[in-house]
Amino acid sequence: MQNNLSELTTERRNPNTTEIDRLSTEEIIRLINDEDKKVAYAVEKEIPNIAKAVELISEKLYEGGRLIYLGAGTSGRLGILDASECPPTFGVPQEMVQGIIAGGHEAILKAVEGAEDSKENAVADLKRINFNNKDVLVGITASGRTPYVIGAIEYANKLGAITIGVTNNYNSEMSKITKVCIAVEVGPEVITGSTRMKAGTAQKMVLNMLSTGSMIKLGKVYENLMVDVESTNSKLKERCKNIVMELTSVGEDEAIKYLQLTDYNVKLSVFMIKTGLDKEKSEEILNAHRGYLRKALEAVNKI
């Protein structure tokens, strides 16, 4: 374990920004922007590991497991953000993708001193949600050594669960104990040690890929449209209508008619329109293909 913070890339001083406090406002912003440009290229280097993680996650979700994000501070908040956006976007149950942060709900809005230092609390938090070997744990920590995250991964490993690490330092402690470690090394921060900046941006990009990639593999996306989107407000109802119209070429009135018939189930509406089958038969075929619209349509076309 790297006990000396100065050994971590994320804790080193950035030679490009040592005079940032002397710059004009626009120069400050341009300098931050220049550093941010490096993030996507750093993420690109880890695509093979991200792809491995998506394969493992989607397989476990397909089998009925859960995706659990866990971290402290910014890392924990990013996990909660990604998890909270999965149900409305992909129509999955709230419990399928969850985020856990050191210090609990209070820590979402403000720092909880010392919360990241307890391995025991991490184990207790996982036990609270009945974490088991059917689930996948994604530990998120810029340093790759946060005790709260390390403790959670050690516990998950003992249970035989899949463990994935998201960090911003190579050869970290976490890389040695996870099945897959995604180490996006973005270099020193604009403000030394402020890992809510480039490191946080990189983590957000990776989590987007993990959840979105997994949901695509589960059939939650048809072409590039969210066919399992939930119609929980007027904006999303409008999106549902537009998706149906886009995929079937029917008019607005026809799209609304089918959506009302299916209780705003976009996937079912599209399938019924494309196949001409009734609601009951359409549900039967979609269920037989676990809701994968493309596979269901291909099956009907082969009959």
Side-chain angles (χ1 to χ4, degrees):
M1 180 175 178
Q2 293 166 306
N3 292 312
N4 188 348
L5 281 178
S6 64
E7 295 176 7
L8 302 175
T9 303
T10 47
E11 294 293 331
R12 292 176 189 161
R13 293 189 71 189
N14 190 328
N16 299 324
T17 63
T18 53
E19 300 293 315
I20 197 168
D21 60 325
R22 302 178 66 176
L23 303 180
S24 69
T25 302
E26 184 169 328
E27 288 172 328
I28 289 169
I29 302 309
R30 286 191 182 280
L31 195 48
I32 293 172
N33 182 238
D34 285 341
E35 289 295 315
D36 284 343
K37 290 174 185 176
K38 301 173 183 178
V39 176
Y41 293 109
V43 172
E44 183 180 25
K45 293 177 182 177
E46 285 299 298
I47 284 177
N49 284 327
I50 297 170
K52 288 178 189 175
V54 168
E55 292 284 352
L56 291 168
I57 292 168
S58 58
E59 182 180 332
K60 286 297 184 179
L61 293 180
Y62 188 83
E63 294 171 353
R66 299 171 297 174
L67 169 59
I68 309 299
Y69 293 127
L70 182 142
T74 297
S75 298
R77 295 182 191 103
L78 288 170
I80 289 171
L81 174 62
D82 197 74
S84 66
E85 292 175 344
C86 285
T89 305
F90 301 110
V92 298
Q94 293 283 344
E95 63 272 12
M96 179 182 280
V97 186
Q98 300 180 39
I100 299 175
I101 185 170
H105 289 290
E106 181 185 354
I108 297 173
L109 298 177
K110 64 179 183 178
V112 176
E113 297 301 327
E116 69 174 52
D117 296 330
S118 174
K119 288 187 175 184
E120 294 74 22
N121 286 351
V123 173
D125 288 342
L126 288 178
K127 286 182 176 179
R128 195 172 295 116
I129 64 165
N130 297 313
F131 184 88
N132 59 78
N133 61 6
K134 295 179 181 178
D135 301 324
V136 179
L137 178 66
V138 176
I140 315 163
T141 161
S143 68
R145 49 166 261 175
T146 304
Y148 179 82
V149 180
I150 297 299
I153 291 170
E154 290 171 342
Y155 175 71
N157 284 338
K158 287 179 183 177
L159 296 178
I162 298 294
T163 54
I164 296 166
V166 178
T167 183
N168 302 100
N169 283 278
Y170 293 134
N171 300 318
S172 66
E173 182 179 1
M174 189 163 67
S175 70
K176 298 175 176 63
I177 62 173
T178 51
K179 186 171 182 65
V180 178
C181 188
I182 302 163
V184 183
E185 194 159 87
V186 293
E189 295 288 2
V190 170
I191 306 301
T192 307
S194 182
T195 52
R196 69 184 183 85
M197 300 186 77
K198 287 191 296 182
T201 300
Q203 291 172 8
K204 178 69 168 67
M205 292 175 72
V206 170
L207 299 189
N208 281 348
M209 291 176 176
L210 295 182
S211 58
T212 304
S214 297
M215 294 301 163
I216 290 170
K217 294 186 72 66
L218 289 176
K220 300 295 181 180
V221 174
Y222 179 75
E223 295 183 357
N224 63 350
L225 297 171
M226 300 180 287
V227 288
D228 273 333
V229 63
E230 292 186 345
S231 58
T232 53
N233 58 44
S234 58
K235 181 193 79 173
L236 292 177
K237 283 189 175 182
E238 182 75 9
R239 181 175 292 165
C240 290
K241 181 193 71 178
N242 290 339
I243 291 172
V244 172
M245 292 170 64
E246 176 75 21
L247 290 176
T248 64
S249 299
V250 301
E252 184 175 0
D253 291 342
E254 189 79 353
I256 292 173
K257 182 184 82 172
Y258 275 92
L259 285 167
Q260 289 176 339
L261 180 64
T262 63
D263 194 25
Y264 271 77
N265 184 320
V266 172
K267 184 181 287 181
L268 181 56
S269 298
V270 170
F271 188 84
M272 290 174 64
I273 294 170
K274 279 182 171 288
T275 63
L277 297 173
D278 61 28
K279 182 180 178 182
E280 184 178 355
K281 185 63 176 178
S282 295
E283 287 177 327
E284 179 185 323
I285 296 172
L286 279 168
N287 289 336
H289 292 85
R290 298 186 69 118
Y292 208 121
L293 180 57
R294 187 176 294 279
K295 290 180 180 179
L297 288 170
E298 289 172 351
V300 171
N301 290 333
K302 290 176 183 177
I303 295 174

